[in-house]
Amino acid sequence: MAKIGFIGIGKLGLDCAEVMAEKHEVRGYDIYPRTSDSVRVCDIAELVDESEWIFIAVPTPHAEGYDGSVPSSHMDPKDFGHDAVIDAINKVNTYAKTSKKVVLISTVLPGTTRRKFITLLDTRHQFLYNPYLIAMGSVKWDMANPEMVIIGTEDGELTGVAGELIALYKTIMNNDPRYEIGTWDECESIKIFYNTFISAKVGLVNMIQDFAMKIGNINVDVVTNALARSTMRIMGPKYMTAGMGDAGACHPRDNIALRWLAEEYKVGYDLFDTVMHARELQAKNLALYLVEQAELLNLPIVIHGKAYKPDVEYCIGSYSTLVGYYIKEAGHKVVYVDPLADNPEDVVAAIDTPAVFLWAHNRKITYEYTGDQVDTQPYCEIKEGSIIVDPWRKLTTTRKDIVIIQYGNTRP
Ligand SMILES: NC(=O)c1ccc[n+]([C@@H]2O[C@H](COP(=O)([O-])OP(=O)(O)OC[C@H]3O[C@@H](n4cnc5c(N)ncnc54)[C@H](O)[C@@H]3O)[C@@H](O)[C@H]2O)c1
């Protein structure tokens, strides 16, 4: 039986503490008077002194008017408040006579733990970031039946204390969840992007509802049920690998056309403006990264793959050329290698010098759903001293004379 303390026993913390109390000795502390039949509510000194594990479930509130119950999208964006978490950490430092295993549950934005909290906690304590995917109304059930348990450590490794936390959870779980281990920052991201994926998804299906109301002869459920059953591309892991942006003859222009439809039927907003704008700025960010590398090393830039995907000649709607556009806009030259490309502008057959390559094509990611597992083979010789920027983070090499940069992986 473990000795556990919960700092903050509000809407989330109290129910979670009570689930833990079914198997363990659990204390709870809150600045607000709380009662429980199974959790011993006590002062902070007793809680810290008596507990081996200290879970922090205090609020990370938004400022007044930012909860989404009234319009707020016109207001300045703001971070969550961190005072209560900082207060809880300070109290652990003050009252702990021995080393504690401190577990932060509260929701914070990516980077917050490393930037704001970890420097405050005494080094004798161990720290994990462990946000919950729990919903009001079903806290106790969600706690014992989670889809996944997210555990963040300093370096993303399953360190001893993270393993101990898994062992602790195994004593209370009714299901056999996934345990997702990452850096603090990755786990902060998993939690917040999990929630915002849901917001984006609901925003999309409700937009179809708006179109149904405006256009007529559409039952939104017929549309969303067909999409919900689309497990090949939409409902599943496909398109969940960050890399080159959406491209081709259809997708970009479909978004552009829907922008027109939204205006024509006066739905009052334009989600696709944001989607297309993000696509363009993501291409620009990648382009500027390539330019930075090229200028640092005084090398030319080559985009490896000009057609919108491997094995086809079509350059229509190509994300490679969009990246190329922004490279040129930044005042740099760019060429492409692609044996199939149907647009010969700036395409060369060979690269005779070292260069900064953008590895735009990845056959395996594009076609693996068909069972085809063959990876992209180089379209030209890669000279010694080259840098390959791989936006898919899959490329490996045994060559010592070239460097591969995994774009999107900033772990040290
Ligand atoms: N409620 C949910 O469904 C849910 C789900 C997942 C994550 N979260 C996150 O968990 C955190 C807590 O959420 P909640 O809904 O339980 O909030 P809450 O406001 O209901 O509970 C927080 C509790 O902490 C107490 N508290 C405030 N400052 C304190 C301090 N300095 N020391 C000790 N206790 C203090 C409050 O009195 C309150 O009882 C938030 O970061 C939230 O985003 C909530």
Side-chain angles (χ1 to χ4, degrees):
M1 187 185 269
K3 296 178 92 177
I4 296 169
F6 269 76
I7 301 182
I9 40 175
K11 293 189 291 295
L12 179 74
L14 184 59
D15 277 3
C16 295
E18 288 183 347
V19 171
M20 287 281 197
E22 289 169 20
K23 297 280 167 54
H24 302 283
E25 180 183 323
V26 182
R27 287 178 173 73
Y29 163 75
D30 201 295
I31 52 169
Y32 189 82
R34 301 276 179 209
T35 54
S36 168
D37 290 338
S38 56
V39 171
R40 179 177 156 76
V41 180
C42 63
D43 62 32
I44 186 71
E46 177 186 328
L47 180 137
V48 174
D49 194 27
E50 289 292 333
S51 306
E52 162 199 3
W53 291 94
I54 298 177
F55 289 79
I56 299 176
V58 296
T60 44
H62 242 147
E64 193 75 20
Y66 278 80
D67 70 352
S69 58
V70 290
S72 59
S73 57
H74 61 289
M75 287 156 56
D76 285 343
K78 277 195 177 161
D79 195 356
F80 300 123
H82 302 128
D83 291 354
V85 176
I86 291 170
D87 180 55
I89 289 173
N90 287 336
K91 282 184 173 136
V92 174
N93 289 338
T94 305
Y95 293 101
K97 297 184 189 123
T98 54
S99 167
K100 304 290 173 187
K101 295 164 204 165
V102 180
V103 182
L104 179 64
I105 298 172
S106 308
T107 307
V108 295
L109 289 180
T112 307
T113 292
R114 202 172 295 269
R115 222 179 46 244
K116 285 200 158 173
F117 301 150
I118 211 65
T119 46
L120 301 177
L121 187 70
D122 283 358
T123 49
R124 64 199 163 117
H125 305 306
Q126 290 166 296
F127 181 90
L128 297 168
Y129 182 63
N130 174 218
Y132 289 175
L133 300 175
I134 280 182
M136 287 292 94
S138 52
V139 176
K140 285 188 167 166
W141 190 91
D142 289 347
M143 173 83 172
N145 298 276
E147 178 175 359
M148 63 175 151
V149 177
I150 309 160
I151 301 178
T153 62
E154 180 169 12
D155 59 4
E157 295 301 313
L158 179 56
T159 51
V161 72
E164 286 178 51
L165 184 61
I166 293 174
L168 180 67
Y169 277 131
K170 286 197 168 158
T171 64
I172 59 146
M173 292 303 174
N174 286 337
N175 66 348
D176 185 17
R178 280 181 288 131
Y179 290 89
E180 297 284 356
I181 315 294
T183 60
W184 297 320
D185 323 69
E186 286 163 351
C187 291
E188 291 161 335
S189 303
I190 295 170
K191 160 72 190 185
I192 202 96
F193 290 119
Y194 188 99
N195 285 357
T196 51
F197 250 88
I198 294 173
S199 308
K201 199 169 168 180
V202 174
L204 274 170
V205 299
N206 286 352
M207 183 194 61
I208 303 169
Q209 186 175 46
D210 271 349
F211 276 122
M213 294 305 289
K214 299 272 184 187
I215 296 171
N217 303 300
I218 297 173
N219 176 354
V220 61
D221 298 329
V222 173
V223 182
T224 55
N225 287 341
L227 298 179
R229 287 189 283 267
S230 301
T231 52
M232 196 182 271
R233 292 192 178 85
I234 302 177
M235 303 296 158
K238 185 91 172 116
Y239 295 108
M240 286 298 284
T241 307
M244 299 291 280
D246 200 11
C250 303
H251 292 198
R253 65 188 284 278
D254 291 352
N255 283 275
I256 294 163
L258 268 172
R259 295 195 55 205
W260 175 84
L261 197 73
E263 202 175 278
E264 179 75 4
Y265 284 96
K266 299 193 175 21
V267 292
Y269 51 87
D270 185 351
L271 262 182
F272 298 101
D273 175 34
T274 306
V275 171
M276 293 306 281
H277 188 62
R279 175 181 181 270
E280 286 169 10
L281 291 193
Q282 286 157 3
K284 185 171 181 174
N285 290 339
L286 178 53
L288 295 182
Y289 182 80
L290 294 166
V291 169
E292 190 185 306
Q293 297 300 315
E295 288 181 353
L296 205 66
L297 300 156
N298 199 20
L299 295 177
I301 300 177
V302 179
I303 297 185
H304 186 271
K306 185 174 187 187
Y308 80 81
K309 63 178 176 178
D311 290 14
V312 300
E313 62 272 37
Y314 316 114
C315 292
I316 185 169
S318 168
Y319 197 73
S320 293
T321 55
L322 186 64
V323 175
Y325 170 92
Y326 287 115
I327 292 170
K328 283 187 178 170
E329 190 189 66
H332 214 279
K333 275 181 66 178
V334 61
V335 294
Y336 301 84
V337 280
D338 189 332
L340 295 180
D342 63 5
N343 176 348
E345 192 184 339
D346 295 329
V347 175
V348 296
I351 304 294
D352 301 327
T353 63
V356 172
F357 285 85
L358 171 64
W359 210 253
H361 285 176
N362 184 307
R363 275 200 90 257
K364 194 157 178 283
I365 288 179
T366 306
Y367 294 113
E368 68 185 349
Y369 74 102
T370 65
D372 186 340
Q373 300 286 326
V374 182
D375 218 337
T376 300
Q377 297 305 309
Y379 298 153
C380 65
E381 196 186 329
I382 313 279
K383 296 287 183 191
E384 175 186 347
S386 290
I387 304 274
I388 302 179
V389 176
D390 177 15
W392 307 102
R393 299 162 306 285
K394 298 287 184 286
L395 210 56
T396 54
T397 183
T398 49
R399 282 178 63 176
K400 298 271 181 282
D401 59 341
I402 61 171
V403 171
I404 296 175
I405 297 175
Q406 296 186 354
Y407 188 75
N409 180 359
T410 50
R411 274 194 187 199

